[in-house]
Amino acid sequence: MLALRLTRGARPAVQLRRLLVTAASAGTGFLLLCALGYALSHPYSPGDATARLAWCLPPLAATVHLAVAVARTDPGTRPRPGLAAVGLGPARLMLVSVTTTALSCLLGSMLALLVFLHLRGDLTGMPFDGAATEALAAGTPLPVPGSLTLLGLVPVIASAAVAFVLRPQGLGPAPDGGTRRVNGRFGTRVREAVRGTPGTDQVPESAQGTGAAPDALPALPEPSPAPKGLPWGVAVLAAGLAVETYAAGASDDGGPALPAALPAGPTGVLVGWLLTAVGLALAAPGLTHLCGLVLQAVRPGALRLLAGRGLMAEAARIGRPLGVVCAVASAAYAMTPLPDAGSFGPLTALGAAVVTGCAVATLLTAAVEARQDRSGTTAALLRLGAPAGTLRAAAALRAGALLAVFGPLTLVVAELAALPLSR
């Protein structure tokens, strides 16, 4: 009941993000059911049916990623002292987030089932003059256990992922002798000092003599450490491009066929694409941190210092979704010049729309989460008299720096990934 009340009383922006999860779950569930329908209508082609089911994994992973990002930014289930006082601590709020995610995904699975049954003609007759008969196995009894199992994949996996990401991680000693509570939702550390006022930092030397009170200054954290995935990401990216180039000259090895307009080349090309995408996702946080470091180089002013520290602090949060968006964009760019690029089937178009939409929505949701996380610092700067235009300029500078780095990187990776397809 609490999950339903929090879901119903959320703001329109929060409801929109939950509807995006529902739409992604519906698209993925429909693709899974279509794979089942193909297997029913082609019982003597288990390899093709398995390949179609395997191609549902990217939409499934993208949907789960989006569900986790939406759950992390849900303001209705953020840890607050008032809720903890009535027994709604981090563990109970984590269960509320899991329940909300499960409800959103279940709604999407139900919509997918209704659309699937309607297209099969099980509800109101066969639509589109029976054009979808072969893909949906119209006229063949639909196995209930298999259908429910496929429809339950998205809610179960998404709920388990949300529970793992938002799990409370207990208490630990703080470097200053106090206690430290690690919050699984935002990864932040709340320190309760033994002496002095909690949350109050000392006045930095640059602010001494200005007449500002210590409790009026915003927290000035040390630069965030660089993510450790940059070398691994570069190595995996290089390995993926090497595998693609090597496999391009090989003959077809009878591996799983690529759908619709994608080239039916050897399996090595597909493995190379996957390695390239993983490499971009691993390297993106380190590149984002490096962008922040470059912005602060050579005697930075207040604007560059604020933008650079912001990027360094948000590198782990927005870097990986940004890498996924770059991987999706590079794949789309690489397939554009293909001669059969206009022959995408409806299911391939649906899968591409789910993956692309989830990647972009996850990046935007991560940006919202970063904005929520730095809201305290922003409010403190405004109280000190910082112009709002300066904060907007810092945000624009961060976006420009990311675009200047990841735009050319995406084009280079796309050009290298398209080389095997042009042979």
Side-chain angles (χ1 to χ4, degrees):
M1 292 301 296
L2 178 60
L4 290 176
R5 289 183 179 181
L6 292 175
T7 301
R8 184 182 58 184
R11 294 177 298 179
V14 180
Q15 299 288 13
L16 178 60
R17 293 196 292 266
R18 292 170 180 169
L19 287 178
L20 290 177
V21 175
T22 300
S25 176
T28 304
F30 184 79
L31 290 174
L32 291 170
L33 290 177
C34 289
L36 176 62
Y38 184 86
L40 293 175
S41 59
H42 299 79
Y44 301 105
S45 301
D48 294 340
T50 303
R52 285 176 175 264
L53 185 61
W55 276 101
C56 295
L57 293 180
L60 176 61
T63 302
V64 172
H65 195 199
L66 175 62
V68 171
V70 170
R72 287 170 62 95
T73 57
D74 193 344
T77 56
R78 294 179 63 180
R80 293 187 296 270
L83 294 179
V86 297
L88 295 178
R92 294 287 298 275
L93 290 177
M94 181 267 293
L95 293 178
V96 172
S97 298
V98 170
T99 305
T100 304
T101 302
L103 291 175
S104 300
C105 295
L106 281 175
L107 179 58
S109 297
M110 292 174 59
L111 292 176
L113 179 61
L114 290 177
V115 173
F116 184 77
L117 294 178
H118 173 68
L119 294 179
R120 277 171 48 93
D122 296 337
L123 298 180
T124 59
M126 182 66 64
F128 305 116
D129 297 328
T133 301
E134 182 180 0
L136 307 181
T140 305
L142 196 64
V144 177
S147 303
L148 295 181
T149 300
L150 292 178
L151 289 176
L153 286 179
V154 176
V156 171
I157 297 177
S159 302
V162 170
F164 177 78
V165 172
L166 304 186
R167 71 193 187 281
Q169 300 181 18
L171 296 172
D176 56 1
T179 59
R180 179 181 62 194
R181 181 172 68 254
V182 180
N183 187 344
R185 178 175 302 275
F186 296 103
T188 56
R189 299 175 177 178
V190 181
R191 295 185 295 179
E192 299 171 357
V194 177
R195 297 183 301 271
T197 305
T200 301
D201 294 331
Q202 293 181 355
V203 182
E205 295 181 359
S206 59
Q208 292 180 0
T210 61
D215 55 355
L217 291 174
L220 298 175
E222 294 295 327
S224 302
K228 300 180 180 179
L230 181 57
W232 289 103
V234 173
V236 173
L237 177 62
L241 295 175
V243 169
E244 289 181 37
T245 304
Y246 176 79
S251 59
D252 192 359
D253 58 0
L258 305 180
L262 298 184
T267 310
V269 176
L270 173 60
V271 174
W273 280 2
L274 295 178
L275 288 176
T276 301
V278 172
L280 283 174
L282 289 177
L287 291 176
T288 305
H289 189 277
L290 185 61
C291 289
L293 192 62
V294 171
L295 282 178
Q296 303 176 74
V298 190
R299 301 178 63 86
L303 181 61
R304 287 199 292 132
L305 185 62
L306 184 60
R309 287 290 178 91
L311 276 183
M312 294 174 68
E314 300 164 4
R317 181 177 292 109
I318 67 174
R320 189 161 289 112
L322 185 58
V324 174
V325 170
C326 290
V328 173
S330 63
Y333 181 85
M335 291 185 295
T336 300
L338 295 180
D340 297 332
S343 61
F344 281 99
L347 296 182
T348 305
L350 176 60
V354 170
V355 173
T356 304
C358 287
V360 175
T362 302
L363 177 59
L364 296 178
T365 304
V368 172
E369 180 187 0
R371 183 178 180 181
Q372 292 176 351
D373 197 29
R374 65 172 182 267
S375 60
T377 302
T378 302
L381 289 173
L382 292 176
R383 286 196 306 269
L384 288 174
T390 302
L391 300 180
R392 289 193 294 267
L397 186 58
R398 289 195 296 266
L402 293 178
L403 183 61
V405 172
F406 285 93
L409 176 63
T410 302
L411 293 178
V412 170
V413 173
E415 290 289 347
L416 294 177
L419 289 179
L421 306 181
S422 59
R423 297 184 179 182

